């Protein structure tokens, strides 16, 4: 397993929070993207105008950890403290991603099955049987 990182979810102030974190920790954002920048995908609802300028994903390296985050949207609903973070696992292979996803999601609620994404990863999300939210990611572009 390559890395485990915290993933914070905000109700529209993710960019403000991450600019603050950057002012404290330093560094730069390898990626900060808004929902309006997402390509249209089959089976996914269109981004609402209210969500367009919200952050879809941002990452800030801090030492050997990457603090990641994004804003909630109309589809996910607002978050409250307790469900505003995910444990993000980056794996070394697609097989390891499937094993971890299937193992940890057993008895839980998978809400985004493992699948290829527009950002070049194999990715899935679920809530485990204890109510903890997880993200599993295999970055296929780095292994190519």
């Amino acid at each position: 397993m390559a890395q485990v990182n915290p993933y914070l979810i905000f109700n529209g102030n993710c960019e403000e929070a991450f600019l603050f974190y950057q002012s404290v920790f330093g560094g730069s954002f390898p990626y900060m993207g808004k929902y309006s920048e997402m390509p249209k995908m089959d089976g996914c609802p269109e981004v609402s105008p209210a969500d367009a300028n919200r952050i879809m994903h941002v990452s800030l390296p801090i030492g050997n950890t990457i603090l990641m985050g994004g804003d909630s949207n109309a589809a996910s609903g607002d978050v409250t403290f307790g469900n505003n973070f995910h444990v993000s696992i980056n794996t070394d292979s697609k097989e390891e991603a499937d094993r971890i996803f299937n193992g940890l999601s057993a008895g839980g609620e998978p809400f985004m099955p493992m699948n290829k994404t527009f950002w070049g990863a194999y990715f899935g999300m679920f809530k485990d049987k204890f109510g903890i939210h997880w993200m599993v990611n295999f970055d296929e572009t780095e292994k190519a």
Side-chain angles (χ1 to χ4, degrees), residues 68-128:
M68 295 185 278
D71 282 312
S72 61
N73 59 37
S76 66
D78 282 347
V79 295
T80 56
F81 288 101
N83 71 354
N84 63 323
F85 69 94
H86 290 68
V87 178
S88 178
I89 299 177
N90 294 320
T91 66
D92 291 326
S93 70
K94 194 174 179 181
E95 295 75 22
E96 183 181 28
D98 284 333
R99 181 184 63 76
I100 290 170
F101 183 94
N102 293 333
L104 289 175
S105 67
E109 299 175 34
F111 50 87
M112 184 175 181
M114 294 301 298
N115 208 341
K116 289 187 177 205
T117 64
F118 68 87
W119 64 85
Y122 183 63
F123 178 82
M125 297 170 52
F126 61 93
K127 180 168 62 171
D128 73 17

